[in-house]
């Protein structure tokens, strides 16, 4: 009897620990076509992206995805180094993207632009399966995260391409990370070439921030 009680007690403790360790998110705020912006880390590729793309609004993002709600599941359409352009279940997206202590910001098209969502989601679905664009130079056969989103909404002119810059605002010179990044690939730094980035997309006057997943 003692063994049974002890076993049941340990099972209860394990169950409580498991439940406490499971992170839940307020996903009820999400609507079809919402954009999920992932905060940038301070170092590595994430930090290098953020270093040269921060806007006057001081946003600090390095990844973005589009919410697609279906009858029994919520997905995120996005392009990532792991998996390329993909349609990923929201739970898995959150597990992979949220680092310790981070939150994901939720942006939504303003009401006058929301008619663009159905066609944009359909366009995004056609991009699924394409590889990730590791050079961050626009082409039609691979995509990076903000490029994927911009293309999904391109026909509706929700976002625009801007000249890319890889200049460190603190030094006025090409960021050392990006200089080595393109040097290792035998490519010229694409300074001034058209492109986009999560911070630039977040600054669009066609979007509004509606909350966060935390």
């Amino acid at each position: 009897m003692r063994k049974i009680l002890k076993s049941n007690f340990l099972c209860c403790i394990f169950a409580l620990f498991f439940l406490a360790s499971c992170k839940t998110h307020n996903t009820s705020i999400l609507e079809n076509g919402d954009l999920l912006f992932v905060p940038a880390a301070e170092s590595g590729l994430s930090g290098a992206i953020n270093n040269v793309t921060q806007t006057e609004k001081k946003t600090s993002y390095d990844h973005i995805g589009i919410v697609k709600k279906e009858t029994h599941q919520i997905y995120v359409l996005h392009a990532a180094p792991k998996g390329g352009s993909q349609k990923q279940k929201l739970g898995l997206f959150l597990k992979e993207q949220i680092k310790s202590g981070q939150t994901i910001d939720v942006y939504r098209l303003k009401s006058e632009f929301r008619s663009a969502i159905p066609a944009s989601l359909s366009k995004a679905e056609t991009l699924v399966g394409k590889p990730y664009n590791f050079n961050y130079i626009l082409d039609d056969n691979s995509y990076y995260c903000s490029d994927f989103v911009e293309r999904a909404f391109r026909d509706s002119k929700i976002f625009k391409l801007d000249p890319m810059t890889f200049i460190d605002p603190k030094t006025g010179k090409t960021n050392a990370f990006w200089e080595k990044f393109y040097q290792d690939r035998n490519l010229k730094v694409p300074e001034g070439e058209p492109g986009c980035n999560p911070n630039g997309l977040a600054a669009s006057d066609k979007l509004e921030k509606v909350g966060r997943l935390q």
Side-chain angles (χ1 to χ4, degrees), residues 38-200:
V38 181
E42 295 182 359
S43 60
L45 176 62
S46 177
I49 292 172
N50 189 54
N51 174 262
V52 297
T53 65
Q54 273 202 0
T55 66
E56 292 181 359
K57 293 182 179 181
K58 302 301 181 184
T59 54
S60 183
Y61 303 121
D62 74 345
H63 192 61
I64 179 176
I66 313 170
V67 172
K68 185 174 192 296
K69 298 185 76 173
E70 297 185 358
T71 305
H72 300 296
Q73 188 65 259
I74 302 177
Y75 295 93
V76 180
L77 296 162
H78 68 122
K82 178 183 176 181
S85 297
Q86 59 198 277
K87 181 178 182 179
Q88 189 175 38
K89 290 182 179 179
L90 175 63
L92 185 56
F93 175 87
L94 296 177
K95 181 179 179 181
E96 291 185 354
Q97 297 296 333
I98 293 184
K99 289 80 175 176
S100 177
Q102 283 186 328
T103 59
I104 287 183
D105 288 338
V106 182
Y107 284 69
R108 185 168 296 154
L109 267 66
K110 294 179 179 178
S111 58
E112 60 266 39
F113 304 108
R114 289 183 62 76
S115 60
I117 289 174
S120 298
L121 287 174
S122 295
K123 175 63 176 179
E125 294 253 28
T126 69
L127 306 180
V128 169
K130 293 285 187 177
Y132 189 75
N133 183 344
F134 286 96
N135 292 329
Y136 305 102
I137 299 172
L138 298 182
D139 69 57
D140 292 324
N141 297 307
S142 60
Y143 308 98
Y144 55 90
C145 68
S146 54
D147 174 28
F148 179 93
V149 173
E150 187 277 328
R151 297 212 193 205
F153 287 92
R154 182 174 290 183
D155 289 345
S156 302
K157 297 180 172 59
I158 298 300
F159 303 107
K160 62 186 180 71
L161 298 176
D162 290 310
M164 292 191 292
T165 183
F166 297 85
I167 302 296
D168 186 327
K170 294 180 181 178
T171 66
K173 299 179 180 180
T174 301
N175 178 283
F177 177 97
W178 291 112
E179 189 168 21
K180 185 176 187 305
F181 179 91
Y182 284 105
Q183 187 178 65
D184 290 346
R185 289 161 175 76
N186 294 314
L187 293 170
K188 179 183 176 182
V189 176
E191 183 71 28
E193 293 296 318
C196 54
N197 60 76
N199 285 323

